Amino acid sequence: MKKVLVATEKPFAKEAVEQIKKIGSEAGYEIVLLEKYSTVNDLLIAVTDVEAMIIRSDKATREVIEAGKKLKIIVRAGAGYDNIDLQAATDNNVVAMNTPGQNSNAVAELALGMMVYHARGFFNGKSGSELRNKSLGIHAYGNVGRYVAEIAKGFGMKIYAFDPFVEKTTIEKDGVNVVDSEKELYKTCQYISLHIPANDKTKNSINYNLLNEMPKGAVLVNTARKEVIDEEGLLKLMEERNDFAYLSDIAPDNAELLKEKFADRVFFTPKKMGAQTAEANINAGIAAINQIIAFLEKGDTKFKVN
Ligand code: 3PG
């Protein structure tokens, strides 16, 4: 029987695992679970004899891919695939896929949730502020960005977006104002919600100069990747501007220092939890197992990213 490894250091909800098992076994596959593993070695052993692997932010390095002697496909149950060594996958004839859109609403809800949490002084009982009529800049208008716009509309925010890869008319159809540059987005918006991937172009791109364009009472919300932030630049800016807040679902390397210095202006989730809902896990998990079956049975490469 062909094996599919579900390797999730941060496990899916129980219901998601049950659905993956059901769909997999009905198609004649054995589902092998490796949850909350603590060493790379656990993953290297588990991947040895499987045809397919489902991961989340787990790192599919060259070493892991090469350890998978029978491995034909890796599906990242989620959006960002910066955790897969795509070159190593290609070199070893392994197809890499993601499941775009499946966990996006969960991430968007967290982004808005963090904005409310901060606006209300982290629920400290003192007088706070509201999101209505505040300007929100959505940096990259992909699946998560679209949900952020939809929810923010309900809050009555003024919404702007910048995304050079999405047609202006597509964004405008959602009632969102399009700006022509990153700089203009940051200059215009009190709130910025980041939804860019981490790649060679974007790493460290959210830097001091760009952030300093933001108006008074600036709030940067990061549910994307920590690597896109120039952490030194952010620290310098927060030292200079006592009106600047940073809320992130991916704690920066200097998280402890930032918390110590700016307790009332930073918030970091204890563990990346944007996509950590039963719904998102079920959607992404089902998509992942279905994509594996479609590829192994019919050669369907629709969501291939390498
Ligand atoms: C994604 O890229 O899909 C999100 O960052 C979620 O990542 P996670 O599956 O590790 O929670």
Side-chain angles (χ1 to χ4, degrees):
M1 199 184 245
K2 286 182 185 165
K3 290 183 181 174
V4 178
L5 173 67
V6 179
T8 48
E9 186 273 317
K10 185 175 60 187
F12 284 131
K14 203 166 142 269
E15 307 93 293
V17 176
E18 279 163 11
Q19 300 258 25
I20 293 170
K21 281 188 174 160
K22 185 170 179 288
I23 296 169
S25 63
E26 279 171 9
Y29 291 83
E30 183 188 342
I31 305 296
V32 182
L33 266 190
L34 177 71
E35 293 181 324
K36 295 186 193 168
Y37 56 93
S38 49
T39 67
V40 177
N41 209 37
D42 296 338
L43 182 55
L44 292 174
I45 294 167
V47 76
T48 327
D49 63 342
V50 302
E51 271 75 14
M53 174 163 76
I54 297 174
I55 54 171
R56 295 185 64 180
S57 289
D58 308 78
K59 291 195 170 41
T61 60
R62 182 172 288 275
E63 191 187 15
V64 170
I65 292 167
E66 286 176 355
K69 299 287 173 225
K70 295 182 173 174
L71 196 62
K72 294 186 180 54
I73 175 168
I74 300 172
V75 180
R76 193 282 190 243
Y81 44 87
D82 47 307
N83 52 327
I84 304 178
D85 185 332
L86 294 182
Q87 190 56 53
T90 305
D91 293 347
N92 288 280
N93 288 322
V94 172
V95 165
M97 293 187 187
N98 66 346
T99 64
Q102 302 293 346
N103 59 15
S104 309
N105 181 65
V107 179
E109 286 190 12
L110 185 76
L112 270 294
M114 288 201 292
M115 288 179 214
V116 173
Y117 187 46
H118 168 262
R120 294 303 181 96
F122 304 137
F123 302 157
N124 63 1
K126 295 184 186 156
S127 186
S129 59
E130 301 180 17
L131 298 184
R132 181 167 295 277
N133 290 326
K134 303 295 188 312
S135 49
L136 167 66
I138 301 177
H139 191 168
Y141 204 72
N143 291 309
V144 183
R146 271 197 289 278
Y147 277 114
V148 167
E150 192 183 311
I151 302 167
K153 237 185 271 172
F155 276 101
M157 299 183 88
K158 295 177 202 147
I159 311 166
Y160 299 80
F162 171 68
D163 193 328
F165 303 105
V166 179
E167 286 288 334
K168 203 173 167 176
T169 48
T170 307
I171 303 176
E172 283 172 344
K173 250 190 260 153
D174 293 345
V176 174
N177 303 291
V178 177
V179 298
D180 294 328
S181 68
E182 269 181 6
K183 191 173 166 179
E184 197 186 337
L185 189 76
Y186 284 69
K187 221 180 165 70
T188 310
C189 298
Q190 182 183 347
Y191 286 83
I192 291 285
S193 193
L194 283 172
H195 304 293
I196 52 176
N199 56 39
D200 291 344
K201 283 212 173 91
T202 61
K203 280 181 188 164
N204 291 315
S205 67
I206 309 304
N207 57 29
Y208 176 89
N209 288 339
L210 185 62
L211 293 173
N212 205 19
E213 294 289 340
M214 291 179 73
K216 201 169 166 8
V219 182
L220 177 67
V221 182
N222 185 3
T223 53
R225 291 290 181 270
K226 76 171 177 170
E227 291 83 0
V228 302
I229 305 286
D230 166 12
E231 291 184 6
E232 273 178 33
L234 176 68
L235 173 65
K236 179 173 179 294
L237 184 76
M238 292 191 76
E239 273 165 347
E240 289 172 13
R241 281 182 56 174
N242 65 8
D243 65 307
F244 196 100
Y246 181 49
L247 317 174
S248 181
D249 187 31
I250 326 92
D253 291 338
N254 59 359
E256 289 314 311
L257 179 69
L258 293 182
K259 282 197 274 188
E260 200 183 294
K261 285 186 152 220
F262 320 113
D264 57 340
R265 293 192 277 135
V266 294
F267 172 72
F268 309 123
T269 52
K271 194 163 197 167
K272 186 171 155 216
M273 54 177 288
Q276 200 62 323
T277 66
E279 294 88 338
N281 293 168
I282 291 167
N283 292 343
I286 290 178
I289 188 67
N290 281 332
Q291 287 173 214
I292 286 171
I293 295 166
F295 171 70
L296 292 176
E297 302 298 324
K298 294 182 269 170
D300 184 342
T301 53
K302 185 165 173 208
F303 296 100
K304 187 171 183 260
V305 292
N306 64 332

